[in-house]
Amino acid sequence: NIELALEIKIKLSDKRGQGNIYLNLGNVAEDRGRLNEAMGHYKKAEKLYVEVEDSINVAITDRSIANVLWQQGRVQEAEQLAYSAYKYLRLKNDRNFIGALLVLGKVHLEKGSLYKSVDYLEEAYETSIRNSMPFLTKEASEQLSKVYQRLKEYDKSFFYQKEYSRLSDSLQGARLGEQLAEMQVKYETEKKEKAIEHLGLENSKKELELTKKRDQVLLISGIFVCLLALVIAFYFYNNAKKQHEINRVKQERQKEI
C-alpha cells in the first residue's frame, strides 16, 4: 500500500505527499532500530520538503534526523539540527515540539550541560502533560531521573523514576485492556492527521482515474477529428477530380467543334 501510495504521489508530482510517506517510513524504521534506513528515508523527505518550501515539515524531519544522530553518538550534529527544529516548532506546541525538546535534553545530558538538559526536559515534561501525551511524558520522566541523579538531587531523581514507572505500568495496562481506547482518544490529533492523509490518498487515486479518463476522451476525440478531416479531404479531392474530368471533356469537345 505504501509503495502504491508513493507511486501515485510521484505520478501526480505531489512532492509534499511523497515527503510525508518517506517521513512515515523513517519513523517505522527508527522504531525497529534500523537507524541507517531511517536516516535514508528522513533525508529524502527533507529534500522534498525543501523543494516545496515547507519549513514546518523540514523542521519536523530535522527533529527526527537529530534523534537518529543522537542514537548514533553524533551529538554535535544532533544538537544543531534539534535546535534548528526547536526554533520553528516552538509555536506549534505539539508532539513534534516536545520531540525536539527531548532531543535537546538528551544531547545536553550527553555533553554534561546538566542544567540546560533540565530546562529542556522539564519543558518537555510539562508540555506533554498539557497535551495529554503520556508516552512523551514517560520519556521525559526517564531522562529527568537520569539528569537529577547526575546532579545528585536524589529526591527529584526518585520522583521522576516513580513517575516513569507509573506511566510505564499504566501504558502497558492500557495496551492490554479497555484503557487502550481511552488512551487513543488523547491522540485524536494524530488520528485526524492519518485520516486526512488517507483521504488525500483516496482523492489522489480518484484524480489519477479522472486523468486517465480525460486522456482517453481526448484520444478518442483526436481520432474522430482526424477521421472527419480525412473524410472532408476525400470529399474535396473527389469533387476536384470530377471537375477536372468535366473540364477535360469540355476541352476535347471544343477541339472537335
Side-chain angles (χ1 to χ4, degrees):
N1 287 338
I2 292 177
E3 290 178 358
L4 175 61
L6 185 58
E7 183 181 346
I8 290 171
K9 296 295 184 185
I10 291 171
K11 285 182 179 178
L12 294 173
S13 299
D14 182 1
K15 292 187 177 181
R16 183 175 284 101
Q18 294 172 50
N20 293 340
I21 292 171
Y22 281 122
L23 183 60
N24 289 332
L25 286 171
N27 290 334
V28 172
E30 185 180 351
D31 288 341
R32 294 177 180 176
R34 302 200 295 262
L35 299 183
N36 290 333
E37 181 183 337
M39 181 68 80
H41 290 312
Y42 289 147
K43 288 290 187 182
K44 289 178 182 177
E46 183 183 43
K47 182 176 181 294
L48 289 162
Y49 289 140
V50 168
E51 288 177 6
V52 296
E53 298 181 352
D54 188 342
S55 57
I56 292 298
N57 272 320
V58 169
I60 291 171
T61 309
D62 283 347
R63 191 272 305 167
S64 299
I65 294 173
N67 198 50
V68 172
L69 290 170
W70 172 77
Q71 293 177 76
Q72 292 176 334
R74 298 158 67 180
V75 177
Q76 194 66 33
E77 296 171 77
E79 181 184 6
Q80 291 175 355
L81 270 183
Y83 189 70
S84 174
Y86 165 83
K87 289 190 294 184
Y88 276 99
L89 298 174
R90 58 186 172 184
L91 297 178
K92 290 178 67 64
N93 198 34
D94 62 1
R95 61 189 176 85
N96 293 302
F97 172 62
I98 298 168
L101 290 170
L102 287 169
V103 175
L104 286 168
K106 290 185 286 189
V107 163
H108 284 292
L109 174 59
E110 195 78 21
K111 291 174 62 179
S113 305
L114 301 182
Y115 289 105
K116 280 187 178 181
S117 179
V118 166
D119 289 340
Y120 287 120
L121 292 173
E122 288 280 10
E123 188 175 358
Y125 176 82
E126 292 167 6
T127 307
S128 64
I129 290 175
R130 283 199 305 272
N131 286 278
S132 301
M133 296 179 177
F135 289 100
L136 297 175
T137 307
K138 184 185 80 167
E139 186 176 354
S141 299
E142 181 184 19
Q143 297 302 321
L144 281 165
S145 177
K146 293 178 181 178
V147 177
Y148 280 119
Q149 187 174 20
R150 291 269 298 273
L151 288 168
K152 297 183 179 179
E153 296 187 33
Y154 299 115
D155 53 341
K156 290 183 178 180
S157 177
F158 182 60
F159 168 80
Y160 284 111
Q161 182 59 44
K162 285 197 302 181
E163 188 74 353
Y164 170 75
S165 299
R166 180 185 68 80
L167 288 166
S168 296
D169 293 342
S170 175
L171 292 170
Q172 188 173 3
R175 291 191 190 97
L176 299 173
E178 294 180 352
Q179 292 179 25
L180 179 59
E182 297 175 3
M183 297 293 292
Q184 288 175 337
V185 172
K186 297 178 182 180
Y187 290 89
E188 186 177 347
T189 302
E190 187 174 351
K191 279 188 172 182
K192 286 180 180 177
E193 289 176 357
K194 289 180 180 178
I196 290 169
E197 184 177 348
H198 178 70
L199 182 61
L201 180 59
E202 291 298 320
N203 289 337
S204 298
K205 286 182 181 178
K206 290 178 182 177
E207 189 175 343
L208 189 59
E209 289 174 2
L210 288 172
T211 302
K212 286 181 179 178
K213 287 180 180 178
R214 187 165 56 246
D215 291 343
Q216 289 173 353
V217 170
L218 289 172
L219 179 62
I220 292 169
S221 299
I223 293 171
F224 176 76
V225 169
C226 289
L227 288 173
L228 183 61
L230 285 171
V231 170
I232 293 170
F234 178 76
Y235 172 78
F236 281 108
Y237 171 76
N238 198 38
N239 279 352
K241 189 176 179 182
K242 286 179 180 179
Q243 188 63 44
H244 177 73
E245 183 64 21
I246 290 168
N247 292 337
R248 187 183 66 76
V249 171
K250 282 181 179 180
Q251 287 174 2
E252 287 180 356
R253 285 181 181 176
Q254 203 163 13
K255 284 180 182 180
E256 289 174 1
I257 293 170

